[in-house]
Amino acid sequence: MLTDRNQEIRGYVCILRTKLETQDQDNHFMHEAREVSLHQLQLIENENASMTNETIQNLNMIAMLNSRNQNIVIDIHDMQNENKELQNKTGSLQEERNGVKEQYEEIKGKSPFEQFATKANKLLGNIVVDHAPP
């Protein structure tokens, strides 16, 4: 009866030893799985940090391009203003040219004295010169 009891206890010990070994293997696998998960988490964090840096660089590039675009718009407005000023000057020069052309037409074909008299009349208010000086 003692031997039966010993064998029964040995059976329980064997079962417990098997359970402990299984539990130890499970713990080992869980530890490995945890290390793999931590490694994967570290890779994900590194990738996230890299993407964050890229995003910051892209945002800085966008800010720089926006600044350049604003400067270009300002330059365009300045050029448009300069163009308007040049158009105004061109108009004034055209009017001045037309005035000179009219003056030329008035004195064209006249003697030097008549040319002088015509210019003087315009300047002095239509003084009539009937004849050339002696």
Side-chain angles (χ1 to χ4, degrees):
M1 178 171 281
L2 200 55
T3 59
D4 286 342
R5 184 77 176 135
N6 280 347
Q7 277 193 340
E8 188 179 332
I9 290 174
R10 282 185 191 160
Y12 286 131
V13 168
C14 187
I15 290 171
L16 285 174
R17 191 176 288 149
T18 303
K19 282 187 176 185
L20 281 174
E21 287 174 358
T22 303
Q23 191 174 13
D24 188 43
Q25 286 177 350
D26 287 349
N27 285 343
H28 179 71
F29 290 137
M30 288 297 285
H31 179 72
E32 285 182 1
R34 189 177 310 129
E35 284 186 16
V36 167
S37 294
L38 287 173
H39 180 69
Q40 288 175 339
L41 180 61
Q42 185 64 43
L43 290 176
I44 291 170
E45 286 175 350
N46 290 345
E47 186 176 345
N48 187 24
S50 173
M51 292 174 84
T52 300
N53 287 337
E54 286 179 34
T55 301
I56 290 170
Q57 289 174 352
N58 289 340
L59 289 173
N60 287 337
M61 181 67 76
I62 289 169
M64 182 187 67
L65 291 173
N66 280 339
S67 176
R68 284 185 185 173
N69 285 344
Q70 288 173 348
N71 288 339
I72 289 171
V73 167
I74 290 170
D75 289 346
I76 288 172
H77 286 282
D78 290 346
M79 287 179 186
Q80 288 173 337
N81 289 336
E82 286 178 25
N83 190 29
K84 286 178 187 174
E85 289 175 17
L86 288 173
Q87 286 174 344
N88 289 340
K89 285 180 183 178
T90 301
S92 296
L93 289 173
Q94 185 66 36
E95 288 174 11
E96 190 176 322
R97 179 181 173 266
N98 290 341
V100 169
K101 190 175 180 182
E102 286 175 16
Q103 289 176 5
Y104 172 74
E105 291 296 327
E106 286 179 19
I107 62 173
K108 177 172 78 170
K110 294 183 177 180
S111 70
F113 177 75
E114 289 174 318
Q115 291 177 8
F116 172 77
T118 303
K119 287 180 187 177
N121 280 339
K122 279 213 173 225
L123 291 172
L124 299 174
N126 292 325
I127 297 172
V128 178
V129 178
D130 291 334
H131 58 278

